[in-house]
Amino acid sequence: MVEHRMIDVNGVRLHIAEHGEGPLVVLLHGFPESWHSWHHQFGPLADAGFRVVAPDQRGYGRSDRPDDVNAYTILHLVGDVVALIHALGEEKAYVVGHDWGAPVAWHTALLRPDVVLGVAGLSVPPPFRGTQLPLAAMDERFDGRFYWNYFNRPGVADAEFGKETRTTLRKFFYALSGDAPGAGEGNQPLVDPEQGWLAGMPDPEVLPEWLTENDLDVLTESFSQGFTGALNWYRNIDRNWELTAPWHGAVVTPPALYIYGDRDAVPAFPGTPELIERLPDIMPNLLRKPLELTGCGHWTQQERPAEVNTALIEFLRACSSSTQAT
């Protein structure tokens, strides 16, 4: 059974779900999600001999939601992960992230390789810092309609998404899945600032097989206090670019795995397909070529749990074997 508790780390209180015994694996969710996005992974990873812990990250679910937008930088988020590993009585752990959880996982490995036994990212590839402020770059390329820019309008997306939380989540999860019309066609997530994002999203009459009403119940409850804490992550995108200047040109060195869906919009972001193509050459410890899941959209571990679980267990075991050999 998955157990739940609160734990103090890095000046905030996080809700965590945990299951199993063995080497620690920390699973980091993205937007708009919670610990529950990993519910298909707890059993298989625990059965494979690992201790699995998935937090509600700061700003989400039952965890603390600092009021200050500046409390959501990548350094705060990495600090939470490092402190969580140590608070759980471990010196090192495997770190796995999806969507926004992937940059947190990748940056934990980049900034603190001494605490990361291996790192896996789903949907979002490893970070390679660009040469200009990200929001300005997207504003220029898409005339202010890229969703990052929309999310940075104070209070706007917060109000739109919080008006009917369950409908918001149902639309998000369907529209960005591999089941949605037009998925995989390389369309960029653009928003009409006057209409909002949800207006252009389809609302399914029947949920995809991988998304249940119970899943929506859990998600809806986790956003009962609104979306502002989660959106504050996006409001630090430029700040993160500034803070990571010392690591410009650095690469993730721990053993790594990257998984993505061929119908996911994120791997089609400007410059990302070329980056994915080059990963085997520029990532020294990428243990296999990026794993592309056919027919899979953005919600990787939920849409394709069996394939993701198999790949993660193979990766974790390969890392464990390598660690024992040394």
Side-chain angles (χ1 to χ4, degrees):
M1 295 291 292
V2 175
E3 297 181 350
H4 298 262
R5 62 185 169 113
M6 303 297 293
I7 190 166
D8 293 314
V9 300
N10 195 28
V12 293
R13 205 163 156 75
L14 299 183
H15 161 252
I16 65 169
E18 55 187 332
H19 183 48
E21 297 181 355
L24 177 61
V25 181
V26 177
L27 304 177
L28 303 170
H29 66 80
F31 176 89
E33 299 179 279
S34 71
W35 72 270
H36 183 74
S37 69
W38 300 102
H39 66 283
H40 292 300
Q41 282 65 54
F42 280 96
L45 294 186
D47 290 344
F50 296 94
R51 179 188 182 190
V52 185
V53 172
D56 282 334
Q57 298 199 74
R58 67 167 64 198
Y60 285 85
R62 300 181 221 167
S63 294
D64 283 352
R65 306 157 180 263
D67 292 330
D68 186 359
V69 67
N70 297 312
Y72 295 86
T73 73
I74 195 66
L75 298 187
H76 289 87
L77 303 173
V78 169
D80 291 349
V81 176
V82 173
L84 176 61
I85 291 169
H86 293 157
L88 292 169
E90 301 292 344
E91 292 298 319
K92 301 182 178 184
Y94 300 98
V95 184
V96 180
H98 167 256
D99 183 76
W100 252 113
V104 178
W106 293 125
H107 278 91
T108 302
L110 181 69
L111 308 185
R112 291 298 307 272
D114 56 308
V115 303
V116 176
L117 295 168
V119 57
L122 282 58
S123 179
V124 181
F128 286 88
R129 187 175 176 274
T131 57
Q132 65 180 123
L133 288 166
L135 290 177
M138 290 306 192
D139 184 49
E140 180 180 344
R141 181 183 287 264
F142 297 111
D143 194 28
R145 298 181 63 215
F146 198 68
Y147 77 105
W148 292 355
N149 302 97
Y150 178 66
F151 285 3
N152 270 268
R153 299 172 67 188
V156 176
D158 318 49
E160 182 191 7
F161 300 159
K163 188 175 181 180
E164 295 182 21
T165 301
R166 190 183 185 88
T167 300
T168 294
L169 294 167
R170 185 174 60 245
K171 283 190 169 187
F172 255 110
F173 274 78
Y174 179 68
L176 300 181
S177 75
D179 298 280
E185 296 179 359
N187 298 319
Q188 299 297 328
L190 304 183
V191 182
D192 182 334
E194 301 307 317
Q195 294 187 10
W197 201 3
L198 298 176
M201 287 186 178
D203 192 357
E205 293 183 9
V206 179
L207 294 177
E209 290 186 4
W210 54 269
L211 182 64
T212 68
E213 293 293 344
N214 180 67
D215 293 331
L216 280 176
D217 289 341
V218 176
L219 275 170
T220 301
E221 173 61 27
S222 72
F223 285 95
S224 60
Q225 297 182 58
F227 289 80
T228 298
L231 289 166
N232 281 342
W233 291 41
Y234 290 91
R235 293 160 183 163
N236 280 279
I237 287 177
D238 278 355
R239 182 64 175 148
N240 292 341
W241 183 86
E242 295 170 347
L243 291 171
T244 55
W247 293 272
H248 188 86
V251 297
V252 172
T253 55
L257 171 70
Y258 174 56
I259 306 173
Y260 68 105
D262 68 349
R263 296 184 181 179
D264 186 351
V266 173
F269 283 4
T272 306
E274 295 79 9
L275 171 61
I276 293 172
E277 184 73 22
R278 294 171 51 225
L279 280 181
D281 297 322
I282 58 181
M283 286 278 289
N285 287 317
L286 196 69
L287 294 195
R288 60 174 293 172
K289 290 182 179 180
L291 174 59
E292 183 183 59
L293 302 178
T294 303
C296 182
H298 182 62
W299 315 107
T300 327
Q301 75 272 22
Q302 297 179 77
E303 293 186 54
R304 294 291 187 275
E307 292 161 274
V308 168
N309 292 344
T310 296
L312 285 178
I313 291 169
E314 289 178 354
F315 170 71
L316 295 170
R317 286 176 171 166
C319 291
S320 296
S321 298
S322 175
T323 301
Q324 293 170 4
T326 56

